[in-house]
Structures are given as structure tokens and as C-alpha cells.
Amino acid sequence: MPVFNGEKYLQTAIDSILSQTLTDLEFIIIDDYSTDSTPKILKKIQDKRVKIYRNPSNLGVAGSLNRALTLAKGKYVARMDADDISAPTRLQKQLEFLESNPSAVACGVQVDIIDAQNRTTGTRFFPQSATSCHDYLMLSSPILHPTLMARASIYKKIGYTAKYKTAEDWDLYFKLLKFGQLQNLSDTLYSYRQIFGSNGFKNIKKAFILITRIRLQAIKNGYQPAWLMLLSNLIQALVVFLLPEKFVFRLFSFWRTSKNITIAALSTQPA
């Protein structure tokens, strides 16, 4: 779990991991050169399962995660964000899923959206089947990044590409597909904190351009998108670049925060 100036919600995030039903775990926290009270909060942790490391400078999410991957010792590695909440059975259920599905290289879960007061403001459902997750990369992220659990042997080998700042997860998913399937559990096991005005709402066009570059590189490297997803991606591009930026911003904001939004992957192949 990387953290940078996360004092406000850090303790809640930590508690949600330390209270997991899966108790045999190593909890690596990378303090990305925080300047608030984050270091003080981390120093108070007494649980021996927690390993804390502080970066000598701010490396960003990708750099911090790459450091954590070099330190991880387990068979599986799970992600977590410092302002979110994992349900008590999250890690146990993901581990059991990967143990029972050897063709899956990584998996995520379904997600509740929460605000600054921990109130549920929406629900995001992600595609479950391997085919749907594969195809959906041309339209949206098939797995919410902080819900990811992957096989350590592969995760540690490929890591993150630092130059893809803010879109490092997209590049990761395309690389993971070379080794196996991506899937999501049907269970809602993660509360993702989405606050209006946060980084997730900024620079939408810039982010789309970067993600498009990653998609094109993946296609060049052998990724085969479904034709319907290519069409959907084209429509998405028209919306992003032809509509006024304020309208795109409002549309994106509505999509990220509205209740009961279902992300159902369209596929030309059987699941």
C-alpha cells in the first residue's frame, strides 16, 4: 500500500487490512515521502505483520509499488489504497479464487463508492468473466486497481512502467494478459473513496490520450480487441474530444459518482 500525505483516512485503511479473516499476511506500506502526520501514524503500529518503508523522495504510485513488489515475499500480492476500506473477507476470497482458478493471473472485486464521511454514494460492477475483462480494456479499466490481487511470480516480474503516470494500471493489465486471465469476483468487497475534485476527475483528455497510447502499444504487441470494443472506443474518443471540456467533466463526474452504475462488458465472444 503506497501512501502520500494520507493522514485523514490512513488509519481506517490500515485497520481494514489488519482485521482481515486472512491473518497470515505481510502488510507492506510505502510512505512516499509524506510531509503530513502520516509517518507518526505509521510509527504507532504495533502489529508485526506490518512492514513500513519510507522513500527518500517522492516516487509516485508506480515507483512506490515497484519498490513494494521487490520487498514482497508472499505467493500472492494484493493492492490497497491508503484512503479506502477492504471488507474483512476480501483477501481470503480473492486468495481462494486464485487457488481454484489456475488460469487466472489476477482478480479484482466489485466496489462500493464512498465519500469523505464513509457514506455509500454509488456502486460499480466490473466484468467477471475472462473474456469480458479482456475485451473491456478497450472501453474502461476491467479491474479497479486497488482491488487487484495477482500471482506474485508474475506480478513481480513485470511490475509497473513509471512513465505511464496516472495510467500505470492499464499498462499492467495488458502485460498480465500475456501470462493468463483477468477476472473479477461477484462479491462487493471494497469501498473506494471518491471525492469530487480529486485527481480522478482532473485532466480527462490528457489521461485518455495516454491510455490510448497504451492500448495501441498493446495491439502492436499482440492484443486482439473485439470489434465492438473498437467501435465503443471510437465513440468514447468522439465524446472526449468533440464535446466541450466542461460537459465531458460533468459526464465523467456523474459516471464516477452515481448510484448503481453497472459496468457490463460487451463481447463478441462467449464468456
Side-chain angles (χ1 to χ4, degrees), residues 2 61-62 65-66 69 77-81 84 90 94 106-109 111 124 126 141-150 155 159-160 164 166-173 176 184 190 192:
V61 173
L65 290 177
N66 280 336
L69 286 172
V77 177
R79 278 277 288 108
M80 176 69 188
D81 274 354
D84 297 339
R90 176 204 159 190
Q94 286 187 278
C107 66
V109 301
V111 177
R124 289 179 65 185
F126 290 82
S141 177
I143 296 176
L144 186 70
H145 191 202
T147 74
L148 181 77
M149 178 182 282
Y155 200 178
Y160 292 88
Y164 293 134
T166 72
E168 63 276 341
D169 50 333
W170 290 81
D171 178 61
L172 175 73
Y173 297 150
L176 284 171
N184 282 294
Y190 196 86
Y192 178 68

Side-chain angles (χ1 to χ4, degrees), residues 6-162:
E7 60 182 9
K8 189 171 183 180
Y9 306 110
L10 179 58
Q11 191 62 59
T12 300
I14 292 172
D15 290 343
S16 76
I17 295 298
L18 296 182
S19 61
Q20 290 289 302
T21 56
L22 178 67
T23 58
D24 184 15
L25 57 83
E26 174 189 42
F27 189 10
I28 298 174
I29 302 176
I30 305 294
D31 176 8
D32 196 17
Y33 205 65
S34 296
T35 56
D36 63 357
S37 63
T38 290
K40 293 182 180 179
I41 295 172
L42 296 177
K43 285 182 180 180
K44 294 180 181 179
I45 301 175
Q46 300 296 317
D47 197 306
K48 294 182 179 180
R49 296 174 297 174
V50 179
K51 310 296 181 184
I52 300 169
Y53 302 88
R54 180 174 169 84
N55 290 337
S57 61
N58 185 264
L59 301 181
V61 173
S64 296
L65 290 177
N66 280 336
R67 185 182 183 190
L69 286 172
T70 64
L71 296 165
K73 299 175 182 178
K75 182 179 178 181
Y76 300 101
V77 177
R79 278 277 288 108
M80 176 69 188
D81 274 354
D83 56 352
D84 297 339
I85 303 171
S86 285
T89 59
R90 176 204 159 190
L91 298 182
Q92 182 71 49
K93 289 189 175 183
Q94 286 187 278
L95 183 148
E96 291 173 352
F97 179 86
L98 290 175
E99 286 284 293
S100 301
N101 295 273
S103 59
V105 66
C107 66
V109 301
Q110 307 307 319
V111 177
D112 279 335
I113 307 298
I114 58 174
D115 62 14
Q117 287 74 45
N118 294 334
R119 296 174 300 197
T120 300
T121 60
T123 303
R124 289 179 65 185
F125 297 100
F126 290 82
Q128 296 178 41
S129 74
T131 298
S132 295
C133 287
H134 173 280
D135 291 347
Y136 211 69
L137 273 163
M138 292 303 294
L139 185 62
S140 186
S141 177
I143 296 176
L144 186 70
H145 191 202
T147 74
L148 181 77
M149 178 182 282
R151 301 185 188 278
S153 59
I154 298 171
Y155 200 178
K156 290 163 69 72
K157 179 187 299 184
I158 61 178
Y160 292 88
T161 305

